[in-house]
Amino acid sequence: MSKTIHKPLFLIIIFILHSFTTIHSKSFNFKKQKQTHLHFYFHDIVTARHPTTVKVASAPTTNTSRSLFGLVMMMDDPLTVGPEPGSKLVGRAQGLYASADLKEFGLLMVLNYYFMEGKYNGSTLSILGRNAALTPMREMPIVGGTGLFRFARGYVQAKTHSADFKTGNVVVEYNVFVLHY
């Protein structure tokens, strides 16, 4: 007798779970994943009349540390088509980076690429990862996005295009490889 009581209950639970899964996945409107490659330049302007990156915190030992450990910078950097400062603006890199390595210059990058042009206008990609900024090529993960990049995942490759160690101003070439719906 207990088998007949549990079997209908089991079937009801399965039906409810199936219905929830079907409704839930339809509400996300999943389609076939797209693969997108983006290419742009990131202008980190520390020293200028209107800097796009500013220091917001440092540790008491930051200035004596080889790696500037404890330094935290906030940014709203332009993303452009070319490396020239006057090149067409396609978005902004907004967030922060912090020196998070005691021994070498390694940055924790927490930022959004906010796109302001063309098809991706208003969409964002979120980056969270380590940037060994003094190495020729760096790779960081894409952990999400909004707009046309909803449910994004992928990676970015960063390569320094130019760096002025006196001013701290840097231009970085980015290749972005993203999967999204």
Side-chain angles (χ1 to χ4, degrees):
M1 186 141 146
S2 67
K3 287 183 181 179
T4 58
I5 293 172
H6 288 297
K7 188 173 182 180
L9 182 60
F10 176 74
L11 290 175
I12 291 170
I13 291 170
I14 294 297
F15 176 75
I16 290 170
L17 288 175
H18 175 70
S19 298
F20 175 74
T21 305
T22 304
I23 292 167
H24 194 62
S25 65
K26 285 180 182 176
S27 69
F28 286 123
N29 196 21
F30 285 127
K31 301 172 193 158
K32 185 177 179 193
Q33 275 192 322
K34 297 175 191 166
Q35 190 173 21
T36 300
H37 172 248
L38 303 170
H39 179 263
F40 49 78
Y41 291 84
F42 170 109
H43 299 260
D44 198 43
I45 305 163
V46 177
T47 306
R49 186 171 178 200
H50 301 289
T52 61
T53 301
V54 295
K55 180 166 96 173
V56 294
S58 64
T61 56
T62 295
N63 291 335
T64 59
S65 167
R66 271 187 62 193
S67 65
L68 299 175
F69 182 73
L71 176 67
V72 180
M73 305 289 284
M74 184 66 64
M75 73 177 115
D76 185 8
D77 290 342
L79 301 176
T80 63
V81 172
E84 305 80 21
S87 184
K88 182 179 179 179
L89 183 71
V90 295
R92 313 277 313 169
Q94 298 172 326
L96 59 89
Y97 57 88
S99 182
D101 191 318
L102 282 167
K103 301 206 186 265
E104 62 182 83
F105 193 59
L107 302 173
L108 166 64
M109 305 290 287
V110 181
L111 64 115
N112 289 315
Y113 295 143
Y114 170 60
F115 297 99
M116 304 162 42
E117 187 65 39
K119 176 180 177 178
Y120 303 112
N121 185 22
S123 297
T124 66
L125 286 172
S126 297
I127 313 302
L128 173 66
R130 186 176 194 280
N131 181 354
L134 299 179
T135 59
M137 181 69 72
R138 289 89 69 193
E139 191 173 290
M140 292 165 279
I142 296 170
V143 296
T146 65
L148 289 180
F149 293 122
R150 192 172 293 127
F151 292 106
R153 60 192 170 102
Y155 66 98
V156 301
Q157 290 180 328
K159 180 180 175 186
T160 302
H161 178 269
S162 62
D164 183 334
F165 291 104
K166 260 180 125 171
T167 64
N169 297 344
V170 179
V171 177
V172 180
E173 179 180 13
Y174 273 88
N175 277 291
V176 179
F177 303 92
V178 59
L179 294 173
H180 58 98
Y181 290 98

